[in-house]
Amino acid sequence: MPSAEIIAIGTEILLGDIVDTNSQALGKALAECGIVHKRRSTVGARLERAVATIRESLSRSDIVFTIGGLGPTVDDITRDAIATAVEEPLECDTEALAELKSYVKSRSGMWRAVYERQVLRPVNAVCIPNESGTAPGIHWQENGKHVIAMPGPRNEFLAMLEKSVRPILASLSGSVIHSRTLRILGIPESALDERFAQEMLQENPTLSPYAKVGEVHLRITAKARNVSEAESLISPLMQSIKSKLGDAVYSDNNHDLAKVIVDKLTTANSSLAIAESCTGGMLGARITSVPGASHVFLGGILSYSDSVKADMLNASSQDLNEFGAVSEQVARQLATNVRSKFGSTYGLAITGIAGPGGGSETKPVGLVYVAVATQENTTVEEHRFRGGREHIREISVQRALAVLYTEITAS
């Protein structure tokens, strides 16, 4: 099985100015194509460091990827580093040059001599088309070793990965590593680890748990000649787990909980309205991030102040004064009244103390109430979450969606 390493080139990554999500995406692609991903490195835009890193990676692995540094400026040193590392001179790729000149002309741009740097490549390399940008990639190979250079801009990188690089990887590997992910609510990672201890000892397929915010993922991974064969290995284990866990498994294809809820609401011809306080719009954003949410999501009220809770959602002023905005009584009213106000099938509400201030001995930071209302009844949950402000807000949204999912599934 071929092995690979990834080298991200860019001082801005080392300084923390940008997050290297390209290497993450490439790592997933390598796994899916059955190529062993051995190591990831990041180097600044310094020629001697990049050369040394490429040479070191080539000594260990069959395929070396570089990401970034393919532009026209002097700090775009990737092509020079590759040429030096493989001891070949750079030459102009005439076909790529013609395409680049045509592209610049089509944009009514003025041709600049510096642009030609982008179509230089080692003598025994070929250019990889970049249909989303101006800098082509590079594919060099010799004696079973490969160097593949890809652009840094996210849209250019992803387009090149899917259209050009995946076919290269498929040609180099005689197998695939394919995964399916089960997303699970209400069961801690430790309990799943105990329940499926024997299955986690298997070698093909493998079973691994991953703790996420408010849920656990079980990833089943198989190695086979193709995806179809891998699915045939995965399916029996996946069906066994689903039969044992029931509705706790809300997705077997790695879909987000918000998408699953939107799909269920759509199928049932149901609708949703929300009222949120401490999460400040995060719940609404999570729901509306799902394509098609407009068919089921009627709207929401961001009721941050007590006056908005009272005036727009008819929360009892007496209860607000006696029990406070963060209370079971007020959470119940928010969910019930937002459902009534919008005429929706379900009303969902969050009120809590996200911190870092605002807590007390009786109502500490992390106290959150989640409520879901239907025409028949309203359910309220009290939670005492730990962590920083953003974590409390994030897990509050996740828990609200989990409560709604349970209510929809039980209907």
Side-chain angles (χ1 to χ4, degrees):
M1 181 181 294
S3 60
E5 297 190 25
I6 301 171
I7 305 169
I9 298 177
T11 305
E12 65 276 13
I13 301 174
L14 290 175
L15 294 176
D17 291 336
I18 65 170
V19 178
D20 178 19
T21 56
N22 289 338
S23 291
Q24 179 188 27
L26 182 53
K28 290 182 178 180
L30 291 172
E32 291 164 0
C33 293
I35 293 174
V36 177
H37 182 190
K38 294 175 65 174
R39 186 174 300 197
R40 282 173 55 179
S41 306
T42 302
V43 296
R46 295 292 183 269
L47 181 61
E48 67 280 1
R49 297 176 193 170
V51 170
T53 306
I54 293 169
R55 283 175 172 168
E56 183 181 351
S57 296
L58 278 171
S59 71
R60 289 187 300 253
S61 301
D62 305 305
I63 311 165
V64 176
F65 287 91
T66 65
I67 302 175
L70 292 177
T73 60
V74 293
D75 64 339
D76 291 311
I77 49 85
T78 297
R79 61 180 57 82
D80 302 274
I82 294 172
T84 303
V86 301
E87 299 181 352
E88 289 185 8
L90 288 168
E91 70 174 13
C92 177
D93 188 297
T94 55
E95 183 177 341
L97 178 61
E99 291 177 0
L100 180 56
K101 286 185 174 181
S102 176
Y103 174 83
V104 172
K105 184 178 180 179
S106 70
R107 291 296 192 89
S108 300
M110 179 183 298
W111 177 257
R112 301 178 185 278
V114 69
Y115 293 163
E116 191 167 334
R117 274 181 49 81
Q118 296 175 104
V119 295
L120 297 178
R121 54 165 175 76
V123 171
N124 290 315
V126 296
C127 282
I128 303 174
N130 182 352
E131 297 182 0
S132 299
T134 59
I138 295 171
H139 181 197
W140 173 90
Q141 58 180 313
E142 186 176 278
N143 299 324
K145 297 285 186 174
H146 300 257
V147 178
I148 298 175
M150 301 178 67
R154 181 72 170 170
N155 64 316
E156 298 179 29
F157 171 86
L158 290 177
M160 187 178 293
L161 174 62
E162 294 304 318
K163 184 155 188 180
S164 300
V165 173
R166 276 187 181 271
I168 295 173
L169 298 179
S171 70
L172 297 176
S173 174
S175 63
V176 299
I177 298 175
H178 179 62
S179 297
R180 292 286 295 274
T181 299
L182 303 177
R183 294 193 172 200
I184 299 161
L185 292 172
I187 305 175
E189 181 184 16
S190 57
L192 291 171
D193 190 72
E194 291 177 0
R195 190 162 187 178
F196 299 106
Q198 291 301 314
E199 289 85 346
M200 291 180 187
L201 296 176
Q202 295 178 191
E203 294 186 357
N204 196 25
T206 59
L207 179 66
S208 302
Y210 299 88
K212 303 293 182 178
V213 175
E215 63 185 46
V216 178
H217 296 180
L218 283 179
R219 181 177 297 166
I220 309 173
T221 303
K223 177 185 174 184
R225 289 182 298 177
N226 52 55
V227 171
S228 178
E229 288 187 8
E231 280 283 348
S232 68
L233 293 171
I234 289 171
S235 182
L237 178 55
M238 182 174 69
Q239 296 306 321
S240 173
I241 293 171
K242 290 173 65 177
S243 67
K244 292 175 182 177
L245 299 183
D247 288 335
V249 179
Y250 75 80
S251 173
D252 62 7
N253 51 14
N254 208 26
H255 282 165
D256 180 72
L257 181 55
K259 173 174 172 47
V260 173
I261 287 172
V262 168
D263 289 346
K264 284 184 173 292
L265 290 173
T266 302
T267 300
N269 196 29
S270 298
S271 57
L272 172 67
I274 64 172
E276 51 181 320
S277 183
C278 66
T279 47
M282 292 172 65
L283 177 59
R286 182 86 174 270
I287 295 166
T288 56
S289 68
V290 180
S294 59
H295 298 301
V296 298
F297 181 60
L298 302 186
I301 295 176
L302 181 55
S303 54
Y304 222 64
S305 70
D306 286 4
S307 61
V308 171
K309 292 179 176 71
D311 295 342
M312 298 192 69
L313 287 166
N314 300 321
S316 165
S317 295
Q318 180 179 341
D319 287 343
L320 284 166
N321 290 329
E322 182 177 353
F323 303 107
V326 182
S327 63
E328 177 184 347
Q329 292 82 357
V330 171
R332 184 181 301 277
Q333 292 169 42
L334 295 180
T336 301
N337 295 344
V338 79
R339 191 197 74 81
S340 176
K341 190 177 187 72
F342 283 85
S344 57
T345 311
Y346 299 94
L348 186 61
I350 302 173
T351 180
I353 305 170
S360 66
E361 185 175 344
T362 55
K363 292 189 175 183
V365 169
L367 176 65
V368 176
Y369 290 91
V370 172
V372 59
T374 66
Q375 186 174 1
E376 292 76 25
N377 59 66
T378 300
T379 302
V380 183
E381 287 188 354
E382 176 185 303
H383 296 279
R384 294 179 182 249
F385 299 124
R386 301 176 66 180
R389 179 180 178 83
E390 289 310 303
H391 175 74
I392 291 171
R393 282 152 49 90
E394 184 179 1
I395 198 169
S396 296
V397 169
Q398 180 69 11
R399 188 57 212 162
L401 292 173
V403 170
L404 178 59
Y405 170 81
T406 301
E407 184 66 44
I408 295 171
T409 303
S411 300

